[in-house]
Amino acid sequence: MIGVILTGHGNFATGMESAAQLIVGKKENLVAVDFKPGSSDTDLKSELEKAFDKLASCSHIVVLTDLMGGTPFKTSAMLSVEHKNSTVTYGANLPMVLELCMSMADPINDIEDFIDKTIQIGKEQINKFVFDKVQGSNNEDEGI
């Protein structure tokens, strides 16, 4: 079973957790750690260590961070050295969180391949909406 730690600036982590819960329900092996204004690097490290401890029974822990180079990413990366069964990612989005949540209980044979697929899902869900009106139609609702 995998565990997931969400972390990022402000309420990024708890916001993603809340959105995921609306879609897939509460997941016990999902822990959100916010890096709130006024928190220090030491505060964040302590909260992330608690999250790793909570997920200690998981075969692998995937840490999703908001962006590369930020304090949540750097702190998670440093902790991942101590926790050999963990992988830190950055640029997290909701489709990635949902993929991990829906796969938490599944046996995973190749964790690196699974994480790569999760990242690919996140990339595929980034695009823009382009309205394309259907030619020859007078119906304003068509095209979506």
Side-chain angles (χ1 to χ4, degrees):
M1 180 177 289
I2 64 168
V4 177
I5 298 172
L6 298 170
T7 188
H9 295 84
N11 294 107
F12 174 83
T14 52
M16 292 286 256
E17 177 186 42
S18 174
Q21 282 182 7
L22 282 172
I23 299 167
V24 296
K26 184 164 177 55
K27 298 295 180 180
E28 293 302 316
N29 289 340
L30 174 67
V31 180
V33 178
D34 288 327
F35 184 46
K36 295 182 180 178
S39 295
S40 68
D41 297 6
T42 305
D43 295 334
L44 178 62
K45 182 179 179 188
S46 175
E47 291 303 311
L48 286 169
E49 285 173 336
K50 289 176 190 174
F52 274 102
D53 289 345
K54 180 178 179 184
L55 301 174
S57 65
C58 294
S59 60
H60 199 84
I61 299 170
V62 181
V63 183
L64 298 172
T65 68
D66 55 354
L67 65 128
M68 183 176 69
T71 302
F73 170 79
K74 291 188 286 187
T75 306
S76 298
M78 287 187 298
L79 288 171
S80 73
V81 174
E82 300 169 26
H83 298 275
K84 303 293 184 201
N85 69 329
S86 66
T87 303
V88 177
T89 66
Y90 53 88
N93 61 26
L94 188 56
M96 294 171 67
V97 175
L98 296 174
E99 179 65 21
L100 289 167
C101 285
M102 291 185 294
S103 302
M104 279 182 167
D106 298 342
I108 298 169
N109 297 328
D110 184 342
I111 192 67
E112 292 304 318
D113 183 53
F114 173 71
I115 292 169
D116 289 345
K117 286 179 183 175
T118 301
I119 292 169
Q120 187 60 36
I121 287 168
K123 289 177 181 180
E124 290 170 358
Q125 293 296 311
I126 299 171
N127 211 327
K128 65 180 179 180
F129 171 77
V130 178
F131 179 78
D132 188 18
K133 187 172 181 177
V134 176
Q135 296 296 320
S137 172
N138 292 329
N139 188 343
E140 295 291 323
D141 294 334
E142 288 190 33
I144 296 179

